[in-house]
């Protein structure tokens, strides 16, 4: 066991939610079958990751599971659908995530000019995630129109990046429905709209970008019910001043999101509302205690170099009613004295304070080789020195899953986490 001595104190820790979920998902044979009875389809990637691992006990254990069967698991949380290969927050991406065993699917929630809720990672990302710039009548409504890159005529050096900004609040719901999703990307060297929209990294694909069906928040709820999964909506920070249009307050926005679950008949145990804004989490707990009980505080404080986790800090969060914290992966792991991946102080103190943890986001960084050199090390920045190939991601996941005991892990390709969760019976 790689856990530190302090982690040993956590051996008996099992929160009410985690224990109930574990008990409720085990079948008569004692195995974790999730909540779905039909085996899921993982595809080749998890098996590639296992084969790519260093020889050792973890690889041996994961190799024992190659024949399956595999089932849906709440430990496997879909991050924006399946955006490693599908346009994010689209019907096609959500359906792919469910087929890959994700037991919980995410809709990031933003609002349109007529204050309707839609699934977008950011209120102002339409220029990089949809074809809005290719529709002149809608592109004209963007907050900032497309501006081409500029280059020094002598050196050829780029002196101005191509840019645009198109927000959900720039258009109505009816106009939003005419858009198609594309892979999140833009070309900073573009001189035309077509070039700007054609910026997908070579480790992703545009193979499934031709039919990215955008969704409203209510439509995502209906789809998730049909797919038999739980739901984790993230209330996105508005890019416009609030109150919006005079009377649309932050609390009205937060309540509107919860009300759409009530209207659809989705019970509070099926919903994990998320926000980077602690006030949103506290509001849900006060205004709708049943739905607020599973509210997730997305902890962006870890991006501040001055932030130092402490037991007192997490105890204060718990005292305010926070039950689940969700930081990026790098905040939960570190390299120990021998250079091996181990739980971080953040993970240790959060668990000692009785908090549950969700981590994000697996399969978001792209190929691990040359991670640091290419500047993609964000999610693994605390342990990137110990990682040099894709299979090393399972070493990190194992620390999250077994040493720390996180509730679940967001992933851009849920099959990879679903494989691990089934194999380790999490």
């Amino acid at each position: 066991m790689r856990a530190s001595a302090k982690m040993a104190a956590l051996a008996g820790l099992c929160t009410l939610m985690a224990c109930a979920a574990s008990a409720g998902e085990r079948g008569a044979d004692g195995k974790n079958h999730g909540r779905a009875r039909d085996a899921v389809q993982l595809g080749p990637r998890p098996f590639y990751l296992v084969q790519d691992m260093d020889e050792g006990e973890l690889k041996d254990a994961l190799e024992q599971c190659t024949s399956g069967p595999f089932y849906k698991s709440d430990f496997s949380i879909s991050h924006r659908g399946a955006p490693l290969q599908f346009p994010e927050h689209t019907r096609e991406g959500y359906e792919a995530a469910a087929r890959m065993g994700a037991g919980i699917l995410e809709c990031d929630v933003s609002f349109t000019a007529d204050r309707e809720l839609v699934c977008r990672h950011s209120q102002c990302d339409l220029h990089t995630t949809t074809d809005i710039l290719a529709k002149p009548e809608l592109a004209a409504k963007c907050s900032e129109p497309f501006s081409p890159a500029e280059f020094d005529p002598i050196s050829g050096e780029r002196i101005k990046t191509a840019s645009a900004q198109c927000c959900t609040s720039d258009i109505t719901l009816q106009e939003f429905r005419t858009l198609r999703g594309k892979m999140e990307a833009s070309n900073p060297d573009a001189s035309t709209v077509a070039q700007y929209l054609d910026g997908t990294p070579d480790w992703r694909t545009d193979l499934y970008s031709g039919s990215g069906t955008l969704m409203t928040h209510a439509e995502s709820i209906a789809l998730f019910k049909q797919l038999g999964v739980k739901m984790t909506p993230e209330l996105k920070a508005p890019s416009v001043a609030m109150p919006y249009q005079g009377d649309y307050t932050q609390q009205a926005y937060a309540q509107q999101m919860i009300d759409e679950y009530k209207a659809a008949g989705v019970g509070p145990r099926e919903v994990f509302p998320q926000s980077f804004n602690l006030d949103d989490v506290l509001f849900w707990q006060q205004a709708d205690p049943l739905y607020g009980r599973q509210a997730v505080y997305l902890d962006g404080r870890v991006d501040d170099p001055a932030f130092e986790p402490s037991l007192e800090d997490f105890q204060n969060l718990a005292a305010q009613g926070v039950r689940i914290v969700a930081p990026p992966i790098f905040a939960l792991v570190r390299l120990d004295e021998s250079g091996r991946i181990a739980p971080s102080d953040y993970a240790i103190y959060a668990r000692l304070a009785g908090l549950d943890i969700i981590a994000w986001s697996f399969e978001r960084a792209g190929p691990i080789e040359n991670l640091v050199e290419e500047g993609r090390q964000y999610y693994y920045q605390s342990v990137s020195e110990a990682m040099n190939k894709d299979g090393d991601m399972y070493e990190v996941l194992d620390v999250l899953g077994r040493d720390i005991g996180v509730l679940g892990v967001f992933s851009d390709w849920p099959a990879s986490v679903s494989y691990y969760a089934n194999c380790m019976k999490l």
Side-chain angles (χ1 to χ4, degrees):
M1 192 75 166
R2 290 179 298 279
S4 66
K6 282 191 282 188
M7 283 303 292
L10 302 176
L13 256 182
C14 181
T15 65
L16 175 62
M17 289 174 57
C19 290
S22 177
E25 293 168 1
R26 292 188 183 278
D29 57 1
K31 295 181 179 179
N32 187 333
H33 287 184
R35 293 177 299 112
R37 295 185 181 275
D38 296 329
V40 303
Q41 304 167 25
L42 297 185
R45 182 159 178 80
F47 305 94
Y48 157 76
L49 294 179
V50 173
Q51 292 171 356
D52 195 47
M53 294 176 66
D54 289 334
E55 299 299 326
E57 292 182 3
L58 179 57
K59 182 175 182 177
D60 290 343
L62 293 175
E63 285 182 330
Q64 300 304 309
C65 306
T66 55
S67 60
F70 302 103
Y71 299 90
K72 192 172 296 184
S73 170
D74 289 352
F75 186 84
S76 179
I77 307 174
S78 160
H79 181 240
R80 312 188 200 180
L84 182 64
Q85 293 194 29
F86 288 83
E88 63 185 47
H89 294 304
T90 61
R91 172 180 289 273
E92 293 77 12
Y94 288 141
E95 291 174 340
R99 290 190 184 101
M100 289 188 279
I104 305 175
L105 269 60
E106 176 188 49
C107 167
D108 290 334
V109 179
S110 293
F111 57 85
T112 61
D114 46 352
R115 292 160 30 170
E116 298 291 341
L117 302 185
V118 295
C119 297
R120 286 291 91 199
H121 177 66
S122 167
Q123 188 168 26
C124 294
D125 72 358
L126 296 181
H127 52 290
T128 59
T129 64
T130 76
D131 61 351
I132 189 170
L133 291 176
K135 296 177 178 291
E137 71 283 2
L138 295 183
K141 297 186 175 186
C142 290
S143 299
E144 298 178 14
F146 170 71
S147 177
E150 296 179 6
F151 299 86
D152 185 284
I154 298 176
S155 68
E157 180 181 354
R158 188 181 69 209
I159 57 177
K160 178 180 175 294
T161 299
S163 64
Q165 179 166 288
C166 304
C167 308
T168 57
S169 51
D170 292 335
I171 59 177
T172 65
L173 176 59
Q174 182 177 357
E175 292 167 331
F176 176 85
R177 291 185 184 279
T178 68
L179 302 177
R180 305 298 289 177
K182 64 179 270 311
M183 296 300 286
E184 180 199 19
S186 62
N187 179 0
D189 296 329
S191 59
T192 66
V193 166
Q195 291 174 351
Y196 185 78
L197 296 175
D198 185 23
T200 304
D202 58 9
W203 47 271
R204 287 182 172 157
T205 179
D206 286 313
L207 186 62
Y208 305 110
S209 290
S211 58
T213 307
L214 302 193
M215 305 200 75
T216 68
H217 177 236
E219 288 169 345
S220 78
I221 294 173
L223 175 63
F224 296 170
K225 288 178 66 176
Q226 177 185 337
L227 295 173
V229 298
K230 295 180 181 177
M231 312 172 196
T232 183
E234 179 188 338
L235 194 74
K236 303 305 296 188
S239 297
V240 295
M242 302 292 276
Y244 179 60
Q245 298 176 340
D247 62 345
Y248 191 54
T249 65
Q250 180 69 24
Q251 291 187 343
Y253 173 36
Q255 187 61 55
Q256 182 183 1
M257 188 184 84
I258 298 299
D259 286 346
E260 293 199 350
Y261 289 95
K262 293 181 176 180
V266 179
R269 295 187 66 180
E270 301 296 305
V271 184
F272 294 81
Q274 314 169 66
S275 180
F276 278 97
N277 183 351
L278 180 59
D279 288 341
D280 291 337
V281 174
L282 300 180
F283 169 75
W284 288 322
Q285 291 175 345
Q286 295 165 5
D288 264 298
L290 294 180
Y291 286 88
R293 180 175 177 80
Q294 294 189 157
V296 179
Y297 174 40
L298 297 165
D299 197 349
R301 300 175 303 166
V302 299
D303 286 324
D304 183 351
F307 174 71
E308 290 287 345
S310 69
L311 179 58
E312 180 182 10
D313 173 69
F314 290 111
Q315 288 174 332
N316 286 337
L317 285 177
Q320 293 180 75
V322 175
R323 292 179 173 85
I324 308 173
V325 291
I329 290 172
F330 75 81
L332 297 172
V333 291
R334 65 177 179 88
L335 296 181
D336 63 17
E337 295 77 7
S338 63
R340 302 192 66 177
I341 300 168
S344 68
D345 285 346
Y346 183 110
I348 292 168
Y349 293 138
R351 297 292 282 129
L352 285 172
L355 298 175
D356 278 319
I357 301 172
I358 294 174
W360 49 272
S361 292
F362 205 72
E363 296 277 37
R364 186 71 184 167
I368 299 302
E369 185 180 9
N370 300 323
L371 193 69
V372 176
E373 290 83 349
E374 297 179 9
R376 293 180 287 101
Q377 73 272 28
Y378 176 81
Y379 294 97
Y380 301 109
Q381 59 187 273
S382 59
V383 294
S384 58
E385 293 180 7
M387 303 178 69
N388 55 37
K389 57 184 181 300
D390 292 344
D392 292 337
M393 290 191 293
Y394 270 149
E395 298 286 348
V396 176
L397 188 59
D398 193 49
V399 173
L400 297 174
R402 292 199 294 175
D403 293 355
I404 299 173
V406 301
L407 281 183
V409 178
F410 280 96
S411 177
D412 281 29
W413 199 246
S416 301
V417 175
S418 298
Y419 181 97
Y420 175 86
N422 274 263
C423 195
M424 296 302 175
K425 299 180 174 56
L426 294 178

